[in-house]
Amino acid sequence: MLDIENEGFKRFYGRIPVAHSSAMLYYHKKGIVQQLIHNLKYKNHQEIGTLLGNWYAEDLKANLTLKDVDYIVPVPLHKKRLKERGYNQVTTFSKAISSGLGKKYDPFILIRKEYAATQSKKNLANRNSVSENTFGIQFSEIHHDKHFLLVDDVLTTGATLEACGKALLQIPGSKISIVTMAMSQS
């Protein structure tokens, strides 16, 4: 799914400018990918993120659009959710991609300011309702004119990634790309 005209890229068209968007796998309810992500997210099997990240990084290396990426940025959890779960499910995936692409990993530039119910428990209509104020950024001049690769687990409606992208695009001269472990088929 590294084609610029892929379904993931089209989900953001007209919403936010992205240089690249792709997902490694397709997500189906009750499928193997759902089981993998469930085990990663709720059963603390973080090795799944590392395995998938190492595997996907090999494919992403061939993508010319991603050659100028400066920072790998995971979608953050709210402090309360992080405390409840004990880890961010996209950390190991993001770190493996960072290592595989030889790019800096920065889990601190993007901040989740609002605590909300997990997206997985919401219906499709409610997943589209991510507030513009949900995410904030902490940056300095070293982050100006940089290309950020935003990383998440599952692309469904794209509302969370759109909100994250809008926050990152507040940095002067910034550019964003998006990769996810999986994408639900529309």
Side-chain angles (χ1 to χ4, degrees):
M1 288 197 272
L2 294 176
D3 176 17
I4 197 162
E5 292 298 317
N6 71 40
E7 189 179 341
F9 188 82
K10 289 177 182 177
R11 288 202 190 175
F12 296 103
Y13 186 78
R15 293 166 68 180
I16 55 169
V18 294
H20 169 85
S21 176
S22 65
M24 181 178 181
L25 305 163
Y26 277 114
Y27 181 95
H28 300 279
K29 283 204 181 256
K30 302 196 191 304
I32 187 77
V33 174
Q34 181 190 29
Q35 291 173 14
L36 276 172
I37 291 174
H38 179 84
N39 283 322
L40 168 62
K41 196 169 183 172
Y42 302 111
K43 305 285 186 188
N44 199 16
H45 285 285
Q46 295 181 63
E47 69 278 3
I48 294 169
T50 302
L51 175 72
L52 294 177
N54 287 335
W55 186 13
Y56 201 32
E58 289 304 310
D59 288 340
L60 295 172
K61 281 181 192 176
N63 189 298
L64 297 176
T65 307
L66 300 178
K67 293 284 186 208
D68 70 341
V69 162
D70 298 290
Y71 292 96
I72 308 297
V73 180
V75 169
L77 294 179
H78 186 273
K79 288 178 190 174
K80 185 176 176 184
R81 173 86 60 231
L82 187 58
K83 188 174 183 179
E84 290 167 358
R85 191 175 294 155
Y87 62 97
N88 182 340
Q89 73 275 8
V90 296
T91 296
T92 56
F93 183 67
S94 300
K95 284 181 174 179
I97 288 173
S98 170
S99 177
L101 297 180
K103 305 296 182 178
K104 295 176 195 149
Y105 171 74
D106 189 341
F108 305 109
I109 193 167
L110 194 58
I111 308 149
R112 186 179 291 257
K113 300 186 301 184
E114 295 180 353
Y115 180 82
T118 178
Q119 290 284 80
S120 65
K121 305 270 190 251
K122 294 180 179 179
N123 65 30
L124 202 56
N126 289 332
R127 286 183 188 205
N128 264 328
S129 62
V130 176
S131 164
E132 298 256 339
N133 299 320
T134 301
F135 297 96
I137 48 173
Q138 298 180 139
F139 69 96
S140 66
E141 278 190 40
I142 63 164
H143 296 104
H144 290 201
D145 303 307
K146 300 299 186 207
H147 186 174
F148 299 95
L149 181 59
L150 189 54
V151 181
D152 203 4
D153 53 2
V154 180
L155 169 57
T156 307
T157 66
T160 298
L161 287 160
E162 179 181 353
C164 289
K166 285 179 177 177
L168 287 170
L169 288 169
Q170 293 175 30
I171 301 170
S174 62
K175 178 167 95 171
I176 60 166
S177 288
I178 296 170
V179 296
T180 61
M181 291 179 208
M183 175 175 56
S184 64
Q185 288 186 288
S186 55

